[in-house]
CSV table of all heavy atoms in Angstrom, one decimal:
chain,number,residue,atom,x,y,z
A,450,PRO,N,23.3,31.8,-10.8
A,450,PRO,CA,24.7,32.2,-11.1
A,450,PRO,C,25.3,31.1,-11.9
A,450,PRO,O,24.9,30.0,-11.9
A,450,PRO,CB,25.2,32.2,-9.6
A,450,PRO,CG,24.4,31.1,-9.0
A,450,PRO,CD,23.0,31.3,-9.5
A,451,THR,N,26.3,31.5,-12.5
A,451,THR,CA,27.3,30.7,-13.2
A,451,THR,C,28.6,30.3,-12.3
A,451,THR,O,29.2,29.3,-12.5
A,451,THR,CB,27.9,31.3,-14.5
A,451,THR,OG1,28.5,32.5,-14.2
A,451,THR,CG2,26.8,31.4,-15.5
A,452,GLN,N,28.7,31.2,-11.3
A,452,GLN,CA,29.8,31.1,-10.3
A,452,GLN,C,29.2,31.4,-9.0
A,452,GLN,O,28.4,32.3,-8.7
A,452,GLN,CB,31.0,32.0,-10.6
A,452,GLN,CG,31.7,31.8,-11.9
A,452,GLN,CD,32.6,30.6,-11.9
A,452,GLN,OE1,33.2,30.3,-10.8
A,452,GLN,NE2,32.7,29.9,-13.0
A,453,TYR,N,29.7,30.6,-7.9
A,453,TYR,CA,29.5,30.9,-6.5
A,453,TYR,C,30.5,30.4,-5.6
A,453,TYR,O,31.0,29.3,-5.8
A,453,TYR,CB,28.0,30.2,-6.1
A,453,TYR,CG,27.7,30.4,-4.6
A,453,TYR,CD1,27.3,31.7,-4.2
A,453,TYR,CD2,27.8,29.4,-3.8
A,453,TYR,CE1,27.0,31.9,-2.9
A,453,TYR,CE2,27.5,29.6,-2.4
A,453,TYR,CZ,27.1,30.9,-2.0
A,453,TYR,OH,26.8,31.0,-0.7
A,454,ASN,N,30.9,31.3,-4.7
A,454,ASN,CA,31.9,30.8,-3.7
A,454,ASN,C,33.1,30.2,-4.3
A,454,ASN,O,33.8,29.3,-3.8
A,454,ASN,CB,31.2,29.8,-2.7
A,454,ASN,CG,32.0,29.7,-1.3
A,454,ASN,OD1,32.6,30.7,-1.0
A,454,ASN,ND2,31.8,28.6,-0.7
A,455,GLY,N,33.5,30.8,-5.4
A,455,GLY,CA,34.8,30.4,-6.1
A,455,GLY,C,34.7,29.2,-7.0
A,455,GLY,O,35.8,28.7,-7.4
A,456,HIS,N,33.5,28.6,-7.2
A,456,HIS,CA,33.4,27.5,-8.1
A,456,HIS,C,32.3,27.7,-9.1
A,456,HIS,O,31.4,28.5,-8.9
A,456,HIS,CB,33.2,26.2,-7.3
A,456,HIS,CG,31.9,26.2,-6.5
A,456,HIS,ND1,30.6,26.0,-7.0
A,456,HIS,CD2,31.7,26.3,-5.1
A,456,HIS,CE1,29.7,26.1,-6.1
A,456,HIS,NE2,30.3,26.3,-4.9
A,457,ALA,N,32.4,26.9,-10.2
A,457,ALA,CA,31.4,27.0,-11.2
A,457,ALA,C,30.1,26.3,-10.7
A,457,ALA,O,30.2,25.4,-9.9
A,457,ALA,CB,31.9,26.3,-12.5
A,458,VAL,N,29.0,26.8,-11.2
A,458,VAL,CA,27.7,26.2,-10.8
A,458,VAL,C,27.1,25.6,-12.0
A,458,VAL,O,26.9,26.2,-13.1
A,458,VAL,CB,26.8,27.3,-10.2
A,458,VAL,CG1,25.4,26.8,-10.0
A,458,VAL,CG2,27.4,27.9,-9.0
A,459,LEU,N,26.6,24.4,-11.9
A,459,LEU,CA,25.9,23.8,-13.0
A,459,LEU,C,24.5,24.4,-13.2
A,459,LEU,O,23.9,25.0,-12.3
A,459,LEU,CB,25.5,22.3,-12.6
A,459,LEU,CG,26.6,21.3,-12.5
A,459,LEU,CD1,26.2,20.0,-11.8
A,459,LEU,CD2,27.3,21.1,-13.8
A,460,PRO,N,24.2,24.5,-14.5
A,460,PRO,CA,22.8,25.1,-14.8
A,460,PRO,C,21.7,24.3,-14.3
A,460,PRO,O,21.8,23.2,-14.0
A,460,PRO,CB,22.9,25.2,-16.4
A,460,PRO,CG,23.8,24.1,-16.8
A,460,PRO,CD,24.8,24.0,-15.7
A,461,MET,N,20.5,24.9,-14.0
A,461,MET,CA,19.4,24.3,-13.6
A,461,MET,C,18.9,23.3,-14.6
A,461,MET,O,19.0,23.5,-15.8
A,461,MET,CB,18.2,25.3,-13.3
A,461,MET,CG,18.5,26.2,-12.1
A,461,MET,SD,17.2,27.4,-12.0
A,461,MET,CE,17.5,28.6,-13.2
A,462,GLU,N,18.2,22.2,-14.1
A,462,GLU,CA,17.7,21.2,-14.9
A,462,GLU,C,16.2,21.2,-15.2
A,462,GLU,O,15.6,20.6,-16.1
A,462,GLU,CB,18.1,19.8,-14.5
A,462,GLU,CG,19.6,19.5,-14.5
A,462,GLU,CD,20.0,19.0,-15.9
A,462,GLU,OE1,19.2,18.7,-16.8
A,462,GLU,OE2,21.3,19.0,-16.1
A,463,GLY,N,15.5,21.9,-14.2
A,463,GLY,CA,14.1,21.8,-14.2
A,463,GLY,C,13.4,22.7,-15.1
A,463,GLY,O,13.9,23.6,-15.8
A,464,GLU,N,12.0,22.6,-15.0
A,464,GLU,CA,11.1,23.5,-15.8
A,464,GLU,C,10.3,24.3,-14.7
A,464,GLU,O,10.1,23.9,-13.7
A,464,GLU,CB,10.1,22.7,-16.6
A,464,GLU,CG,10.7,21.9,-17.8
A,464,GLU,CD,11.0,22.8,-18.9
A,464,GLU,OE1,10.7,24.0,-18.9
A,464,GLU,OE2,11.6,22.4,-19.9
A,465,SER,N,10.0,25.5,-15.1
A,465,SER,CA,9.2,26.4,-14.2
A,465,SER,C,7.7,26.0,-14.2
A,465,SER,O,7.2,25.7,-15.2
A,465,SER,CB,9.3,27.9,-14.7
A,465,SER,OG,8.6,28.7,-13.9
A,466,LEU,N,7.2,26.1,-13.0
A,466,LEU,CA,5.8,25.8,-12.7
A,466,LEU,C,4.9,27.0,-12.7
A,466,LEU,O,3.7,26.9,-12.6
A,466,LEU,CB,5.6,25.1,-11.5
A,466,LEU,CG,6.4,23.8,-11.2
A,466,LEU,CD1,6.1,23.2,-9.8
A,466,LEU,CD2,6.0,22.7,-12.3
A,467,VAL,N,5.6,28.2,-13.0
A,467,VAL,CA,4.8,29.4,-13.0
A,467,VAL,C,3.7,29.4,-14.1
A,467,VAL,O,2.6,29.9,-13.7
A,467,VAL,CB,5.8,30.6,-13.2
A,467,VAL,CG1,5.0,31.9,-13.6
A,467,VAL,CG2,6.8,30.8,-12.1
A,468,PRO,N,3.9,28.8,-15.3
A,468,PRO,CA,2.8,28.8,-16.2
A,468,PRO,C,1.6,28.0,-15.6
A,468,PRO,O,0.4,28.4,-15.8
A,468,PRO,CB,3.3,28.1,-17.5
A,468,PRO,CG,4.8,28.4,-17.4
A,468,PRO,CD,5.1,28.4,-15.9
A,469,ILE,N,1.9,27.0,-14.8
A,469,ILE,CA,0.8,26.2,-14.2
A,469,ILE,C,0.1,27.0,-13.1
A,469,ILE,O,-1.1,27.0,-13.0
A,469,ILE,CB,1.3,24.9,-13.6
A,469,ILE,CG1,2.1,24.1,-14.7
A,469,ILE,CG2,0.2,24.0,-13.0
A,469,ILE,CD1,1.4,23.8,-16.0
A,470,PHE,N,0.9,27.8,-12.3
A,470,PHE,CA,0.2,28.7,-11.4
A,470,PHE,C,-0.6,29.7,-12.1
A,470,PHE,O,-1.7,30.1,-11.4
A,470,PHE,CB,1.3,29.5,-10.6
A,470,PHE,CG,2.2,28.6,-9.7
A,470,PHE,CD1,3.3,29.1,-9.1
A,470,PHE,CD2,1.9,27.3,-9.5
A,470,PHE,CE1,4.1,28.4,-8.2
A,470,PHE,CE2,2.7,26.5,-8.7
A,470,PHE,CZ,3.8,27.0,-8.1
A,471,ASN,N,-0.3,30.1,-13.2
A,471,ASN,CA,-1.2,31.0,-14.0
A,471,ASN,C,-2.2,30.3,-14.8
A,471,ASN,O,-2.9,31.1,-15.6
A,471,ASN,CB,-0.3,31.8,-15.0
A,471,ASN,CG,0.7,32.7,-14.2
A,471,ASN,OD1,0.4,33.2,-13.1
A,471,ASN,ND2,1.9,33.1,-14.8
A,472,ASP,N,-2.4,29.0,-14.6
A,472,ASP,CA,-3.5,28.3,-15.3
A,472,ASP,C,-3.3,28.2,-16.7
A,472,ASP,O,-4.3,28.2,-17.5
A,472,ASP,CB,-4.9,28.8,-14.9
A,472,ASP,CG,-5.9,27.7,-15.0
A,472,ASP,OD1,-5.6,26.5,-15.3
A,472,ASP,OD2,-7.1,28.1,-14.9
A,473,ALA,N,-2.0,28.3,-17.2
A,473,ALA,CA,-1.7,28.2,-18.6
A,473,ALA,C,-1.7,26.7,-19.1
A,473,ALA,O,-1.9,25.8,-18.3
A,473,ALA,CB,-0.4,28.8,-18.9
Side-chain angles (χ1 to χ4, degrees):
T451 57
Q452 297 283 326
Y453 176 72
N454 201 25
H456 61 75
V458 174
L459 293 170
M461 293 178 284
E462 292 279 347
E464 294 282 357
S465 176
L466 302 177
V467 172
I469 308 305
F470 293 171
N471 293 331
D472 206 6

